[in-house]
Amino acid sequence: MVVAVALAGCGDNGQNALDPNSGPSRDIATLWWGMLIAATVVFAGAAALLWVAYLRRARKGLPRLGEDDRTARGLVVGFGVAIPIVVLVALFAVANFTVIAKTQAPAAGSTRMTIQIIGHQWFWEVRYPGSKAVTANEIHIPSRTRVDVVATTADVIHSLWVPEINRKIDMIPGHRNHILFYADHDGVFRGQCAEYCGLQHAHMSMKVIAEPPARFAAWLRTMASPRRAPATPETQRGEQVFLANACASCHAIRGTPADGTIGPDLTHLATRGTLAALTIPNTRAALTRWIRDPQHIKPGSKMPHIDLGDRDLQAVVAYLQSLR
């Protein structure tokens, strides 16, 4: 079991604190390795002393030094007090005066753009100030660009953590916290809520997609636009079914009367790769299962069962999959 848990940490799922992809996460990883080395040396030293004591349990005095009380007292003070104090003070200084300074909220005016991330039970709402773009769970940023993330919550305490980008930051009701997102290169980096927030806390994941600035700008223009009008009879029927049922009370689709705020904005749902905060892929089959029985996939979520006939269900799925 222990080996299985250890091997699970070796998987490259984009959520590895020891595989940094930014300056702040690199500093955190370096501190972690430093602490591991220091702890290993202390542990090995203590284990060695215990082993020597066991081997010499029938003899008095220290090896080679005999029964010199002054030397014995000096060794105790040196290894038991002086060395730990030096090591702990050094780690404290590095952690609190160097690493924190590089991982804390970015200074005003030091970033090129700002995004807002709002925690909900159990998904992440993402807004881009200065644009009408709203999305969920898949956070696009331009690579090699400093981004000021403003983190808030709509309900309980959450904690935003993308370990390959930066440290975690709490999301507290009524409070705005800031953290820097910066990716050295293009890539996809997985994140997770790091504060227990309810039944589906484990299924509150996200991914940060860092892409070239030009591609990000094109994506942002698409996200800011209203929904593409349905073009086929089936998708037109799907929009009518969506608006006539409870779907429109919880979700927003810009360009339609649907303006709910309980669930994620669905205006460009088909551009996302996943559903339900990365719980399932965004495929026709998975989307159908999600609408038909969301509590089976994500028990406790606020997505209710909607009693739709098969024809209406398929029309809604076709409509949602057309929202690019």
Side-chain angles (χ1 to χ4, degrees):
M1 182 66 179
V2 174
V3 174
V5 171
L7 291 176
C10 298
D12 183 16
N13 65 349
Q15 191 174 318
N16 184 352
L18 300 181
D19 184 20
N21 285 281
S22 70
S25 60
R26 196 167 293 111
D27 289 331
I28 293 171
T30 301
L31 175 63
W32 187 90
W33 282 112
M35 294 177 69
L36 177 64
I37 292 171
T40 301
V41 170
V42 171
F43 176 79
L49 290 176
L50 287 172
W51 181 245
V52 170
Y54 173 76
L55 294 177
R56 294 177 55 83
R57 62 189 181 281
R59 288 174 281 179
K60 293 183 178 179
L62 297 169
R64 299 179 179 275
L65 300 176
E67 297 185 47
D68 185 343
D69 290 343
R70 187 174 179 180
T71 301
R73 193 179 304 112
L75 290 174
V76 170
V77 172
F79 286 97
V81 180
I83 291 178
I85 288 177
V86 171
V87 171
L88 291 175
V89 168
L91 289 175
F92 177 85
V94 172
N96 290 276
F97 297 108
T98 301
V99 176
I100 281 187
K102 295 181 179 178
T103 60
Q104 65 185 359
S110 68
T111 56
R112 294 184 60 184
M113 66 172 296
T114 299
I115 63 175
Q116 295 177 340
I117 302 180
I118 305 163
H120 295 260
Q121 287 178 312
W122 289 276
F123 70 97
W124 307 90
E125 177 183 347
V126 188
R127 293 179 175 270
Y128 294 78
S131 163
K132 294 182 180 179
V134 182
T135 186
N137 305 319
E138 299 180 8
I139 306 163
H140 289 245
I141 63 171
S143 55
R144 294 175 290 280
T145 303
R146 290 172 59 85
V147 179
D148 179 17
V149 175
V150 183
T152 59
T153 174
D155 38 54
V156 302
I157 296 176
H158 300 279
S159 187
L160 174 68
W161 190 30
V162 186
E164 295 188 13
I165 298 292
N166 206 340
R167 64 183 172 91
K168 67 179 73 172
I169 186 171
D170 283 347
M171 309 169 87
I172 301 169
H175 190 77
R176 294 158 62 92
N177 279 331
H178 294 252
I179 194 168
L180 174 70
F181 272 10
Y182 180 90
D184 288 343
H185 55 81
D186 303 342
V188 179
F189 312 104
R190 200 173 190 278
Q192 173 70 38
C193 179
E195 178 77 30
Y196 180 73
C197 57
L199 183 61
Q200 283 299 324
H201 163 69
H203 287 157
M204 190 170 169
S205 304
M206 80 200 81
K207 56 183 175 183
V208 174
I209 302 167
E211 53 197 353
R215 186 185 302 171
F216 168 78
W219 174 86
L220 189 62
R221 284 194 297 272
T222 299
M223 292 301 107
S225 63
R227 67 91 171 87
R228 184 180 298 174
T232 68
E234 185 180 37
T235 55
Q236 290 168 356
R237 176 185 174 84
E239 183 172 82
Q240 293 171 358
V241 173
F242 184 94
L243 296 175
N245 285 275
C247 317
S249 300
C250 294
H251 296 282
I253 296 181
R254 283 168 281 133
T256 76
D259 59 355
T261 58
I262 296 175
D265 184 298
L266 303 180
T267 305
H268 298 286
L269 176 67
T271 64
R272 301 174 199 159
T274 60
L275 300 169
L278 277 62
T279 304
I280 53 177
N282 188 5
T283 63
R284 185 180 183 100
L287 180 57
T288 302
R289 288 192 292 112
W290 173 241
I291 296 174
R292 179 180 285 139
D293 190 2
Q295 295 303 313
H296 178 74
I297 294 173
K298 202 165 181 177
S301 74
K302 294 181 181 179
M303 174 82 172
H305 165 73
I306 306 233
D307 190 17
L308 297 176
D310 189 61
R311 187 184 173 200
D312 285 346
L313 174 60
Q314 294 305 321
V316 169
V317 170
Y319 169 59
L320 293 176
Q321 287 208 306
S322 74
L323 296 176
R324 302 198 64 82

